[in-house]
Coordinates of all heavy atoms in Angstrom, one line a residue:
E67 N -87.4 -160.0 -17.5 CA -88.5 -160.4 -18.3 C -89.8 -159.6 -18.2 O -90.5 -159.2 -19.1 CB -89.0 -161.9 -17.9 CG -88.3 -163.0 -18.7 CD -88.7 -164.3 -18.2 OE1 -89.8 -164.5 -17.5 OE2 -88.0 -165.2 -18.6
A68 N -90.0 -159.1 -16.9 CA -91.3 -158.4 -16.7 C -91.1 -157.4 -15.5 O -90.1 -157.6 -14.7 CB -92.4 -159.4 -16.3
A69 N -92.0 -156.6 -15.3 CA -92.0 -155.6 -14.3 C -93.4 -155.2 -13.8 O -94.3 -155.3 -14.6 CB -91.2 -154.3 -14.7
V70 N -93.5 -154.7 -12.6 CA -94.8 -154.2 -12.1 C -94.6 -152.9 -11.4 O -93.5 -152.8 -10.7 CB -95.5 -155.3 -11.3 CG1 -94.6 -155.9 -10.2 CG2 -96.8 -154.8 -10.7
Y71 N -95.5 -152.0 -11.5 CA -95.4 -150.7 -10.9 C -96.1 -150.7 -9.5 O -97.2 -151.2 -9.4 CB -96.2 -149.7 -11.8 CG -96.3 -148.3 -11.4 CD1 -95.1 -147.6 -11.2 CD2 -97.5 -147.6 -11.4 CE1 -95.1 -146.2 -10.9 CE2 -97.5 -146.2 -11.1 CZ -96.3 -145.5 -10.8 OH -96.4 -144.2 -10.5
V72 N -95.4 -150.3 -8.5 CA -95.9 -150.4 -7.2 C -95.8 -149.0 -6.6 O -95.1 -148.1 -7.0 CB -95.2 -151.4 -6.3 CG1 -95.4 -152.8 -6.7 CG2 -93.7 -151.1 -6.2
P73 N -96.7 -148.7 -5.6 CA -96.7 -147.3 -5.0 C -95.4 -146.9 -4.4 O -95.1 -145.7 -4.5 CB -97.9 -147.3 -4.0 CG -98.6 -148.6 -4.2 CD -97.7 -149.5 -5.0
T74 N -94.7 -147.8 -3.7 CA -93.5 -147.3 -2.9 C -92.5 -148.4 -3.0 O -92.7 -149.6 -3.3 CB -93.9 -147.2 -1.4 OG1 -94.3 -148.5 -0.9 CG2 -95.0 -146.2 -1.2
G75 N -91.3 -148.0 -2.6 CA -90.1 -148.9 -2.5 C -90.4 -150.0 -1.5 O -90.0 -151.1 -1.6
T76 N -91.0 -149.5 -0.4 CA -91.2 -150.5 0.7 C -92.2 -151.6 0.2 O -91.9 -152.8 0.4 CB -91.9 -149.7 1.9 OG1 -90.9 -148.7 2.3 CG2 -92.2 -150.7 3.1
M77 N -93.3 -151.2 -0.5 CA -94.2 -152.2 -1.0 C -93.4 -153.1 -2.0 O -93.7 -154.3 -2.1 CB -95.5 -151.6 -1.6 CG -96.5 -152.7 -1.8 SD -98.0 -152.2 -2.7 CE -98.9 -151.3 -1.5
G78 N -92.6 -152.5 -2.8 CA -91.8 -153.3 -3.8 C -90.9 -154.3 -3.1 O -90.9 -155.5 -3.5
N79 N -90.2 -153.9 -2.1 CA -89.3 -154.9 -1.5 C -90.1 -156.0 -0.8 O -89.8 -157.2 -0.8 CB -88.5 -154.2 -0.4 CG -87.3 -153.4 -1.0 OD1 -86.8 -153.7 -2.1 ND2 -86.8 -152.4 -0.3
Q80 N -91.2 -155.6 -0.1 CA -92.0 -156.5 0.7 C -92.7 -157.5 -0.2 O -92.8 -158.7 0.1 CB -93.0 -155.8 1.6 CG -92.2 -155.0 2.7 CD -91.3 -155.8 3.6 OE1 -91.5 -157.0 3.9 NE2 -90.1 -155.3 3.9
T81 N -93.3 -157.0 -1.3 CA -94.0 -158.0 -2.2 C -93.0 -158.9 -2.9 O -93.2 -160.1 -3.1 CB -94.8 -157.2 -3.3 OG1 -94.0 -156.3 -3.9 CG2 -96.0 -156.6 -2.7
A82 N -91.7 -158.4 -3.0 CA -90.7 -159.3 -3.6 C -90.3 -160.4 -2.6 O -90.2 -161.6 -3.0 CB -89.5 -158.5 -4.0
I83 N -90.2 -160.0 -1.4 CA -89.9 -161.0 -0.4 C -91.0 -162.0 -0.2 O -90.8 -163.3 -0.2 CB -89.6 -160.3 1.0 CG1 -88.3 -159.5 0.9 CG2 -89.4 -161.4 2.1 CD1 -88.2 -158.5 2.1
M84 N -92.3 -161.5 -0.3 CA -93.4 -162.4 -0.2 C -93.4 -163.4 -1.4 O -93.7 -164.6 -1.2 CB -94.8 -161.6 -0.3 CG -95.0 -160.8 1.0 SD -96.3 -159.6 0.7 CE -97.8 -160.6 1.2
A85 N -93.0 -162.9 -2.5 CA -93.0 -163.8 -3.7 C -91.9 -164.8 -3.8 O -92.0 -165.8 -4.4 CB -93.0 -162.9 -5.0
W86 N -90.8 -164.5 -3.1 CA -89.6 -165.5 -3.2 C -89.6 -166.4 -2.0 O -88.8 -167.4 -2.0 CB -88.3 -164.7 -3.2 CG -87.9 -164.0 -4.4 CD1 -87.4 -162.8 -4.5 CD2 -87.8 -164.6 -5.8 NE1 -87.1 -162.5 -5.9 CE2 -87.3 -163.6 -6.6 CE3 -88.2 -165.9 -6.2 CZ2 -87.1 -163.9 -8.0 CZ3 -87.9 -166.1 -7.6 CH2 -87.4 -165.1 -8.4
T87 N -90.4 -166.2 -1.0 CA -90.2 -167.0 0.3 C -91.5 -167.7 0.7 O -92.6 -167.4 0.2 CB -89.8 -166.1 1.5 OG1 -90.9 -165.2 1.7 CG2 -88.6 -165.3 1.2
S88 N -91.3 -168.7 1.6 CA -92.5 -169.3 2.3 C -92.4 -169.0 3.7 O -91.3 -168.8 4.3 CB -92.5 -170.8 2.1 OG -92.5 -171.1 0.7
R89 N -93.5 -169.1 4.4 CA -93.6 -168.8 5.8 C -92.6 -169.7 6.5 O -92.5 -170.9 6.2 CB -95.0 -169.2 6.2 CG -95.5 -168.7 7.5 CD -97.0 -169.0 7.7 NE -97.3 -169.1 9.1 CZ -97.4 -168.0 9.9 NH1 -97.2 -166.8 9.3 NH2 -97.6 -168.1 11.1
G90 N -91.8 -169.1 7.5 CA -90.8 -169.9 8.2 C -89.5 -170.0 7.6 O -88.5 -170.4 8.2
D91 N -89.3 -169.4 6.4 CA -88.0 -169.3 5.8 C -87.1 -168.3 6.5 O -87.6 -167.5 7.3 CB -88.1 -168.9 4.3 CG -88.6 -170.0 3.4 OD1 -88.8 -171.1 3.9 OD2 -88.8 -169.7 2.2
E92 N -85.9 -168.3 6.1 CA -85.0 -167.2 6.6 C -84.4 -166.4 5.4 O -84.2 -167.0 4.4 CB -83.8 -167.9 7.4 CG -82.9 -166.8 8.1 CD -82.0 -167.5 9.1 OE1 -81.1 -168.2 8.7 OE2 -82.3 -167.4 10.3
I93 N -84.3 -165.1 5.6 CA -83.7 -164.3 4.5 C -82.4 -163.6 5.2 O -82.4 -163.2 6.3 CB -84.6 -163.2 3.9 CG1 -85.0 -162.1 4.9 CG2 -85.9 -164.0 3.4 CD1 -85.8 -161.0 4.3
V94 N -81.4 -163.5 4.3 CA -80.1 -162.9 4.8 C -80.0 -161.4 4.3 O -80.3 -161.2 3.0 CB -78.9 -163.7 4.3 CG1 -77.6 -163.0 4.6 CG2 -79.0 -165.1 4.9
V95 N -79.8 -160.5 5.1 CA -79.6 -159.1 4.8 C -78.4 -158.5 5.5 O -78.0 -159.0 6.5 CB -80.9 -158.3 5.1 CG1 -82.2 -158.8 4.6 CG2 -81.1 -158.1 6.6
E96 N -78.0 -157.4 4.9 CA -76.9 -156.7 5.6 C -77.5 -156.0 6.8 O -78.7 -155.5 6.7 CB -76.3 -155.7 4.6 CG -74.9 -155.1 5.0 CD -75.0 -154.0 6.0 OE1 -76.0 -153.2 6.0 OE2 -74.1 -153.8 6.8
E97 N -76.8 -155.8 7.9 CA -77.5 -155.4 9.2 C -78.0 -154.0 9.2 O -78.8 -153.6 10.0 CB -76.6 -155.7 10.4 CG -75.4 -154.8 10.5 CD -74.6 -155.0 11.7 OE1 -74.9 -155.9 12.6 OE2 -73.6 -154.2 11.9
Q98 N -77.5 -153.2 8.2 CA -78.0 -151.8 8.2 C -79.0 -151.6 7.0 O -79.3 -150.5 6.7 CB -76.8 -150.8 8.0 CG -75.9 -150.8 9.2 CD -76.5 -150.3 10.4 OE1 -77.3 -149.4 10.5 NE2 -76.1 -150.9 11.6
A99 N -79.4 -152.7 6.4 CA -80.2 -152.6 5.2 C -81.6 -151.9 5.5 O -82.2 -152.1 6.6 CB -80.5 -154.0 4.7
H100 N -82.1 -151.2 4.5 CA -83.4 -150.6 4.6 C -84.5 -151.6 5.0 O -85.3 -151.4 5.9 CB -83.8 -149.8 3.4 CG -84.9 -148.9 3.5 ND1 -86.2 -149.3 3.4 CD2 -84.9 -147.5 3.7 CE1 -87.0 -148.2 3.6 NE2 -86.3 -147.2 3.8
I101 N -84.4 -152.8 4.3 CA -85.4 -153.8 4.5 C -85.5 -154.2 6.0 O -86.5 -154.5 6.5 CB -85.1 -155.0 3.7 CG1 -85.4 -154.7 2.2 CG2 -85.7 -156.3 4.1 CD1 -85.0 -155.8 1.2
Y102 N -84.3 -154.2 6.7 CA -84.2 -154.6 8.1 C -84.5 -153.4 9.0 O -85.2 -153.5 10.0 CB -82.8 -155.2 8.3 CG -82.6 -155.7 9.7 CD1 -83.5 -156.6 10.3 CD2 -81.5 -155.3 10.4 CE1 -83.2 -157.1 11.5 CE2 -81.2 -155.8 11.7 CZ -82.1 -156.7 12.2 OH -81.8 -157.2 13.5
M103 N -84.0 -152.2 8.7 CA -84.0 -151.1 9.6 C -85.3 -150.3 9.5 O -85.8 -149.8 10.5 CB -82.9 -150.1 9.2 CG -81.5 -150.6 9.5 SD -81.1 -151.0 11.2 CE -81.1 -149.3 11.9
Y104 N -85.9 -150.1 8.3 CA -86.9 -149.1 8.1 C -88.2 -149.6 7.4 O -88.9 -148.8 6.9 CB -86.3 -148.0 7.1 CG -85.1 -147.2 7.7 CD1 -83.9 -147.2 7.0 CD2 -85.2 -146.5 8.8 CE1 -82.9 -146.4 7.4 CE2 -84.2 -145.7 9.3 CZ -83.0 -145.7 8.6 OH -81.9 -144.9 9.0
E105 N -88.4 -150.9 7.4 CA -89.7 -151.3 6.8 C -90.6 -152.0 7.8 O -91.4 -152.9 7.4 CB -89.3 -152.2 5.5 CG -88.5 -151.4 4.5 CD -88.3 -151.9 3.1 OE1 -88.9 -153.0 2.8 OE2 -87.5 -151.3 2.4

Side-chain angles (χ1 to χ4, degrees):
E67 265 177 22
V70 52
Y71 184 52
V72 293
T74 65
T76 301
M77 193 188 285
N79 284 334
Q80 294 303 323
T81 49
I83 297 167
M84 291 168 90
W86 282 134
T87 62
S88 299
R89 197 172 155 75
D91 285 355
E92 190 165 72
I93 69 170
V94 174
V95 305
E96 197 280 329
E97 70 173 5
Q98 298 293 325
H100 194 277
I101 285 173
Y102 183 53
M103 295 295 293
Y104 296 123
E105 298 191 8

